[in-house]
């Protein structure tokens, strides 16, 4: 079944590349477009955001969650709030529609202007087992597509040393405990003094970004920021202890 899903995803990607259709509604678009103008209007682009975690906020200034618990990374940015068609695009991509990596990277490109001095893009690492289960490394592919657009190199600086329990139903505290010590940097010289940008698909509680950013900073990185396609507006969407 998984093989069949991946096969249809590849066929869909081939058709998308050659027919120039919108990745959301299927309507014909120009050769340099991947999402039509009408669908772009339906996407929840974040206009007003927290200057620290990058989530959508209702009023200007640092959000209350960041005041209570400041993220490890200097700054995080997301293109969309994780809802509607934006959330569906991410789910489709993680579900095997690999060609969407180029679409999502294109949506991240405008935000790269906020990180002009970035030395390298760092994808959130997966274990080999998780990669086999999914069929591909979605964050690495997303970082590679973004790199092709902005000419900032990809640096696979960290590795994930062990499997972690599924995070979907965990609170922020439980997620942080689940991820504690799971990343490591095999070559500290590769990150020493570098300004690094973590790339991921979704920023939920920020626990993954925190753990990876802390690992990179301990290894000698000069600065660590975060860039994701979507972010969940509520930092504790699955409940609080």
């Amino acid at each position: 079944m998984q093989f069949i899903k991946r096969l249809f995803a590849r066929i869909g990607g081939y058709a998308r590349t050659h027919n120039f259709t919108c990745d959301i509604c299927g309507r014909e678009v120009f050769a340099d477009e991947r999402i039509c103008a009408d669908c772009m209007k339906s996407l929840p682009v974040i206009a007003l955001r927290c200057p620290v975690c990058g989530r959508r906020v209702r009023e200007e200034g640092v959000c209350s969650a960041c005041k209570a618990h400041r993220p490890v990374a200097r700054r995080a940015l997301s293109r969309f709030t994780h809802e509607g068609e934006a959330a569906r695009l991410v789910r489709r991509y993680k579900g095997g529609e690999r060609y969407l990596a180029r679409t999502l990277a294109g949506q991240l490109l405008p935000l790269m202007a906020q990180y002009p001095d970035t030395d390298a893009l760092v994808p959130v690492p997966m274990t080999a087992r998780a990669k086999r289960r999914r069929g591909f490394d979605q964050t690495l592919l997303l970082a590679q597509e973004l790199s092709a657009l902005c000419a900032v190199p990809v640096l696979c600086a960290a590795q994930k040393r062990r499997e972690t329990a599924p995070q979907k139903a965990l609170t922020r505290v439980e997620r942080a405990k689940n991820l504690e010590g799971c990343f490591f940097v095999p070559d500290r010289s590769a990150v020493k003094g570098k300004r690094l940008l973590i790339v991921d698909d979704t920023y939920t509680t920020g626990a993954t970004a925190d753990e990876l950013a802390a690992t990179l900073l301990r290894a000698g990185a000069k600065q660590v920021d975060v860039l994701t396609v979507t972010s969940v507006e509520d930092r504790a969407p699955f409940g609080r202890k």
Side-chain angles (χ1 to χ4, degrees):
M1 183 61 71
Q2 289 297 322
F3 170 77
I4 294 174
K5 287 182 179 179
R6 289 196 293 268
L7 179 61
F8 274 102
R10 289 174 183 172
I11 292 172
Y14 181 87
R16 168 62 187 83
T17 302
H18 291 74
N19 291 339
F20 305 116
T21 57
C22 173
D23 282 335
I24 294 177
C25 69
R27 184 182 305 166
E28 288 189 12
V29 294
F30 293 109
D32 60 344
E33 293 180 321
R34 301 188 70 84
I35 298 176
C36 71
D38 288 341
C39 287
M40 274 303 305
K41 293 177 184 177
S42 73
L43 291 173
V45 176
I46 299 177
L48 185 61
R49 66 181 82 240
C50 169
V52 178
C53 69
R55 302 174 198 276
R56 183 171 63 190
V57 293
R58 306 301 178 181
E59 57 185 26
E60 291 186 2
V62 177
C63 69
S64 59
C66 285
K67 289 178 181 176
H69 179 89
R70 190 175 181 88
V72 175
R74 184 191 64 150
R75 183 187 187 192
L77 284 179
S78 302
R79 181 80 162 111
F80 308 110
T81 299
H82 192 73
E83 61 186 27
E85 287 298 342
R88 279 188 280 275
L89 275 175
V90 171
R91 288 196 295 269
R92 285 170 55 197
Y93 173 54
K94 295 172 72 171
E97 296 184 53
R98 303 186 195 189
Y99 67 94
L100 289 175
R102 189 177 303 173
T103 304
L104 299 178
Q107 293 302 314
L108 288 179
L109 184 60
L111 297 182
M112 285 300 297
Q114 303 295 319
Y115 303 112
D117 299 324
T118 298
D119 294 312
L121 307 176
V122 178
V124 174
M126 302 174 72
T127 62
R129 181 181 177 185
K131 183 178 178 180
R132 287 195 300 270
R133 188 166 57 243
R134 173 150 288 160
F136 71 113
D137 187 332
Q138 83 269 9
T139 51
L140 175 58
L141 181 58
L142 178 61
Q144 289 171 335
E145 290 289 352
L146 181 57
S147 175
L149 294 173
C150 67
V152 176
V154 174
L155 176 63
C156 295
Q159 295 180 15
K160 194 172 183 181
R161 67 172 86 242
R162 59 178 170 83
E163 287 286 325
T164 50
Q167 302 246 97
K168 186 173 182 180
L170 301 181
T171 65
R172 191 192 187 289
V173 173
E174 290 169 338
R175 286 181 177 222
K177 186 67 176 177
N178 184 40
L179 291 164
E180 188 176 355
C182 73
F183 300 123
F184 73 100
V185 176
D187 182 7
R188 297 170 69 93
S189 65
V191 305
K192 187 174 181 180
K194 297 286 183 63
R195 293 177 290 264
L196 304 176
L197 180 60
I198 295 172
V199 177
D200 202 356
D201 47 72
T202 303
Y203 193 83
T204 308
T205 65
T208 299
D210 276 358
E211 183 65 26
L212 182 53
T215 301
L216 295 170
L217 290 168
R218 285 196 300 269
K222 180 179 181 180
Q223 175 182 295
V224 179
D225 294 302
V226 181
L227 180 63
T228 63
V229 179
T230 63
S231 60
V232 176
E233 187 171 0
D234 185 356
R235 181 170 291 198
F238 307 115
R240 296 174 174 85
K241 287 292 183 183

